[in-house]
Amino acid sequence: MTVSQSIEAPKNYKNLSVDEALHFIPWGRFQWLLFATCGMGYAAEIIEMMLMSFALPELKKEWDLDNLTAADASMWANIGVMVGAGVWGIMADWAGRR
């Protein structure tokens, strides 16, 4: 069965599991755009972290950083990603429920 084919919803909605309920939700243009947008945001975040692994050795040489300072830069970048994901996740949930 393809995504575009409709499935008849059951009469008793109270006993549906999440998996069963997802089968009755249509998957249209908006969902594809949302999926692609979230995927691009995730890819941009990962690429940013990956670029740090290439830039950090060059920055160590250029700015004459010791290993501890270079490790601190990498650590704070990862902490920033973690805090940012949490904060933006909460804000997106809050704004999405309005």
Side-chain angles (χ1 to χ4, degrees):
M1 180 171 285
T2 64
V3 176
S4 62
Q5 292 176 335
S6 63
I7 301 171
E8 186 177 329
K11 304 288 187 230
N12 188 0
Y13 289 105
K14 293 181 181 181
N15 295 330
L16 284 179
S17 69
V18 174
D19 187 45
E20 291 170 335
L22 287 175
H23 281 49
F24 301 113
I25 297 173
W27 188 264
R29 185 172 185 263
F30 174 76
Q31 284 78 14
W32 281 112
L33 287 173
L34 183 63
F35 182 71
T37 303
C38 290
M40 285 187 278
Y42 181 68
E45 192 67 44
I46 296 305
I47 289 170
E48 178 186 347
M49 290 288 98
M50 191 175 67
L51 287 175
M52 185 74 131
S53 68
F54 294 111
L56 203 55
E58 295 301 319
L59 290 175
K60 271 179 68 173
K61 283 190 263 182
E62 183 72 26
W63 292 344
D64 195 29
L65 299 176
D66 61 342
N67 287 336
L68 183 61
T69 307
D72 281 348
S74 179
M75 177 192 69
W76 285 111
N78 286 315
I79 288 174
V81 168
M82 184 177 62
V83 170
V87 169
W88 284 111
I90 291 168
M91 289 183 69
D93 185 50
W94 175 75
R97 293 176 188 257
R98 288 173 73 188

